[in-house]
Amino acid sequence: MSRANTLDRRAVVRSLLARRGGLLLVTGLGAPAWDATAAGDSPLTFPLWGAMGSAAMIGLGLALAQPERAVLVLTGDGEMLMGLGSLATIGVQRPANLALAVLDNERYGETGMQETHTAHGVDLAAIAAGCGFAQSETIRDMAGIEALGARLDARQGPLFAQVKIAADTPPLALPPRDGALLKNRFRAALLGPQADLA
Ligand SMILES: Cc1ncc(C[n+]2csc(CCOP(=O)(O)OP(=O)(O)O)c2C)c(N)n1
Ligand SMILES: [Mg+2]
């Protein structure tokens, strides 16, 4: 059975984004997006709102299109489990500028805290390592989070972190929900005012 996980998800995300600079952030649906918003909304954050299972693939496309920029995908264990095959594709493409951080509460939090496979021993970090990620680890304390935050900009990935967090439900902090607005502000912030907003 799983050990007691004590990391606070809001503190984890606040720490990871404290010095985000020009980091491009893709968030999976639900709570990871609320965590990122609670840490401070940014035009360089692209919350998916839905599309469960696709966060890692959106991050991969972004990383390949913008090889000079660090890209972080922040998502949940349930979301990651739904798109597990994407780890194999990332392992083959090996973009050095892509990092994945999975907030693993061992639950489908948003839909009522049903246990996911990680509550029963499925080791996402081992899967990522087996897929060929350059770095893969399980993090259980804030020292590990701070070390991860310091490496986000190093572009020595692809990097995978399975972050074992407590199964808490902090207050909602919703990002904008208009998809066109999210896309246009992301493109303008990334590509400059000359970006074609059509
Ligand atoms: C294709 C699809 N299936 C199911 C859902 C319903 N759903 C929304 S969030 C969620 C759970 C997400 O769990 P996780 O990624 O672990 O995030 P947590 O809330 O636990 O942080 C589910 C099942 C959905 N939105 N889309
Ligand atoms: Mg979860």
Side-chain angles (χ1 to χ4, degrees), residues 9 76-79 103-110 116 165:
R9 60 185 307 147
D77 50 314
E79 204 277 344
L103 299 172
D104 181 11
N105 57 2
E106 305 182 348
R107 303 284 188 282
Y108 295 102
E110 201 72 16
T116 69
I165 57 168

Side-chain angles (χ1 to χ4, degrees), residues 18-34:
R19 286 167 297 281
R20 67 178 284 180
L23 180 77
L24 308 181
L25 176 66
V26 175
T27 62
L29 82 174
W34 321 155

Side-chain angles (χ1 to χ4, degrees), residues 94-118:
R94 292 181 70 85
N97 57 329
L98 179 61
L100 267 61
V102 176
L103 299 172
D104 181 11
N105 57 2
E106 305 182 348
R107 303 284 188 282
Y108 295 102
E110 201 72 16
T111 47
M113 288 288 176
Q114 302 89 351
E115 287 185 346
T116 69
H117 307 62
T118 63

